[in-house]
Amino acid sequence: MKRIAIVGGGLSGLTAAYLLLSKKADLELTVFEADTRAGGKIWTEKANGFLCERGANGFLDNKPRTLELCRSLGIEPVRSNENSKKRFIFSDSELKALPESPPAFLKSDLISWPGKLRMLYEYIAPKGPDDETVADFIIRRLGKEALEKLIDPMTSGIYAGDPYQMSILSCFPRIKELEQKYGGLFRALLAIRKEKKKAQAEGSVSVAPGGNLTSFYNGAQTMTDTLANKLGGRLQTGTAVQGIVKSGNAYKVVTSKSTVEADIVILATPAYASAEMLKDFDNDISKTLSGIPYPNVSVVCFGYKKEKIGHPLNGFGFLVPHSEKRNILGTLWDSSIFPNRAAEGQVLLRSMVGGAKAPQMA
């Protein structure tokens, strides 16, 4: 029987192990996790009546596989409420709602009138190359103000990245696909609305990503905890993999505790960690992996009495353009979108600090 070693006990490694065991329950399979806990970047912590997420606070339900996994595990997801569809940008030292319809966009002062007029050029802008930076794509199609006030904070919020360094094809493939298929973003919007009308489908325009943000009553760690419990003794925490050596048709996995032989090795670790493990196995692969940048980000949770906050917090939260020169990337109003995040009369705010443009802050 094949011996399988999975390196990394985060969501990817745990899910890979669970899927393989669901196909064949008696597989000789071990998951190695360097930390003393499983879950990786998914980490829920309860403190003083607040439920704080150190990493991701949920997932989008527009991909059916995640919901299928929840059903298989017997855990019940919780979808975010209507507040999650309302988002803000911190611009000119105040919170401004992202417009959710063309009329609202025209009335909004988030973009100046010269900026709005420049965006109209998008309808006749020519197609670009097969790939380019996010910044080049947005400036070419929508103008620099749209990049600075709309897209820059979104790239920071999603990737903590720099739009001048990020690939549009890799980071926002759907946007590039719309340009290639319809000739432009406005043309795509009109064509898709027409297609929806033909199919008699009701669709509202929203600035939120496709799908509903979904988590669990007791936080995102519910999923990784459940997966870890399903694996039982096949999960070895506190066991770091230090190297991998080819041994005939198999592999020797050198860990901090022993050397294990495996026929198949699955790396479910960050690129920089994989690079370190593979430097003696394949130096070229190791160098490629070590060249993938990882922006430093810290998550800071703040709990307040609701009466002390001078805003109704009727939304998902806000993002901050780099041009505002503030010390945070944005703040999510977690207690406004999910239950059980704060006690009655209190609110939980979760701020992101650092990113590609200010790693020293993290």
Side-chain angles (χ1 to χ4, degrees), residues 35-303:
D35 205 339
T36 55
R37 59 172 289 279
K41 294 295 185 287
I42 295 180
W43 192 336
T44 306
E45 187 171 317
K46 295 180 180 178
N48 302 320
F50 296 95
L51 193 149
C52 306
E53 301 284 11
R54 291 191 178 201
N57 67 340
F59 60 91
L60 294 175
D61 67 356
N62 56 351
K63 298 292 193 327
R65 287 297 178 88
T66 315
L67 295 175
E68 288 173 14
L69 177 61
C70 291
R71 284 192 291 271
S72 174
L73 292 171
I75 52 178
E76 188 67 35
V78 175
R79 285 180 172 82
S80 56
N81 57 36
E82 287 299 306
N83 282 330
S84 66
K85 296 179 181 178
K86 189 172 185 180
R87 295 159 188 245
F88 295 84
I89 297 290
F90 184 81
S91 179
D92 300 324
S93 298
E94 62 178 308
L95 293 181
K96 297 181 179 180
L98 273 168
E100 297 187 53
S101 66
F105 176 76
L106 291 174
K107 293 177 183 177
S108 170
D109 62 349
L110 181 57
I111 300 289
S112 68
W113 275 106
K116 290 173 185 175
L117 291 173
R118 168 61 184 85
M119 290 176 72
L120 291 178
Y121 170 77
E122 197 281 333
Y123 192 80
I124 59 171
K127 290 182 182 180
D130 291 340
D131 196 13
E132 57 194 311
T133 69
V134 172
D136 286 344
F137 178 91
I138 297 301
I139 291 172
R140 180 172 56 78
R141 298 215 67 90
L142 298 170
K144 192 164 186 180
E145 187 177 353
L147 170 70
E148 292 179 349
K149 292 192 173 180
L150 293 174
I151 306 304
D152 173 76
M154 288 185 184
T155 55
S156 293
I158 298 171
Y159 294 105
D162 180 353
Y164 286 91
Q165 302 295 326
M166 298 160 61
S167 153
I168 188 74
L169 190 61
S170 298
C171 299
F172 300 102
R174 176 60 175 160
I175 293 177
K176 189 65 179 175
E177 179 190 334
L178 292 176
E179 180 194 49
Q180 296 301 315
K181 183 176 179 180
Y182 297 101
L185 305 183
F186 290 165
R187 292 175 186 271
L189 179 62
L190 293 172
I192 290 170
R193 288 169 74 97
K194 191 180 293 184
E195 289 167 9
K196 282 184 176 179
K197 281 184 180 179
K198 280 184 180 179
Q200 295 182 331
E202 294 182 3
S204 60
V205 178
S206 173
V207 296
N212 297 304
L213 184 66
T214 304
S215 188
F216 304 91
Y217 186 79
N218 288 315
Q221 193 174 314
T222 298
M223 178 176 281
T224 50
D225 280 352
T226 305
L227 284 164
N229 289 335
K230 294 282 187 183
L231 297 180
R234 289 185 169 95
L235 171 64
Q236 291 189 19
T237 57
T239 308
V241 171
Q242 299 168 336
I244 299 169
V245 180
K246 184 73 171 169
S247 177
N249 293 324
Y251 304 90
K252 287 184 178 180
V253 180
V254 182
T255 79
S256 55
K257 295 180 178 178
S258 64
T259 298
V260 179
E261 292 201 351
D263 300 295
I264 297 170
V265 178
I266 297 172
L267 295 184
T269 45
Y272 56 84
S274 298
E276 187 65 23
M277 293 175 218
L278 295 173
K279 63 183 181 181
D280 294 328
F281 178 80
D282 190 313
N283 196 46
D284 290 338
I285 293 176
S286 178
K287 283 183 177 178
T288 300
L289 290 171
S290 63
I292 298 173
Y294 275 71
N296 294 315
V297 176
S298 289
V299 177
V300 190
C301 293
F302 297 94

